[in-house]
Amino acid sequence: MAVKIRLARGGAKKRPYYSIVVADARAPRDGRFIEKIGAYNPMVPKDHPERLVLREERAKHWLSTGAQPTDRVARFLGDLGLVEKRAIPEQTKKSQMKAKAKERLEEKRQAAEAAAEAAAAASEESAAE
C-alpha cells in the first residue's frame, strides 16, 4: 500500500484550512486517512505560530515507514529539517525576459560601459596635465 503525507482541505469557501494527514495514495484528497499529524492555516501571517502545527515525532515515524510527502508537505518538512529540501523547478518561461527586453538591457549595458570608459579617459587626461 502506497502511503502519502499530504494536505486535506477543510474550511469554508475562500477560507482554506488544511489538515496534514497520512493517507493511502488511492484515497480521495479530503476522504479517508490513516492519521492526522498536523494542520496548516494559510490565512494567518507567516510568522504566526499556528500557521503550521505538526507533530514531528509522528512525521518522523511515517517517513521511516516509507510514506512519501507531497511537494507542499515536503517543503514544510524541509523547513523543519526532517527531510532534504526539494529544489523548486522553474515551471514556465513567462518569468524570463522577452527578446526585445534583452536587447534593450544589452543596449543600456553597452551605453553604461561607454560612459564609464569616457569618464576614465577624461580623468586620465586631467591627471596627465
Side-chain angles (χ1 to χ4, degrees):
M1 169 170 72
V3 178
K4 294 268 190 190
I5 302 175
R6 64 182 180 201
L7 298 175
R9 192 182 192 280
K13 179 179 175 184
K14 306 226 182 223
R15 308 261 323 149
Y17 184 85
Y18 297 94
S19 297
I20 301 172
V21 298
V22 178
D24 183 7
R26 298 169 296 184
R29 180 193 72 176
D30 301 333
R32 190 181 64 222
F33 59 88
I34 300 168
E35 181 181 0
K36 180 179 173 185
I37 61 171
Y40 169 60
N41 185 359
M43 300 299 288
V44 297
K46 289 189 185 235
D47 58 348
H48 197 278
E50 291 180 7
R51 183 173 173 95
L52 178 66
V53 178
L54 184 69
R55 294 186 355 222
E56 292 184 31
E57 69 282 349
R58 294 308 295 165
K60 287 179 188 176
H61 165 75
W62 283 107
L63 289 169
S64 68
T65 60
Q68 295 295 313
T70 57
D71 290 337
R72 178 60 56 178
V73 175
R75 190 181 284 180
F76 295 151
L77 296 175
D79 290 341
L80 295 172
L82 298 177
V83 296
E84 187 175 321
K85 277 193 172 182
R86 291 184 185 172
I88 301 172
E90 189 67 35
Q91 295 284 334
T92 63
K93 295 182 181 180
K94 287 188 175 189
S95 62
Q96 297 176 355
M97 293 172 37
K98 306 291 187 262
K100 286 186 178 181
K102 286 181 183 177
E103 290 173 10
R104 284 193 296 268
L105 184 65
E106 184 63 25
E107 289 172 3
K108 284 183 182 180
R109 189 185 60 76
Q110 289 175 353
E113 287 177 1
E117 289 176 7
S123 64
E124 287 178 9
E125 287 180 12
S126 63
E129 292 176 2

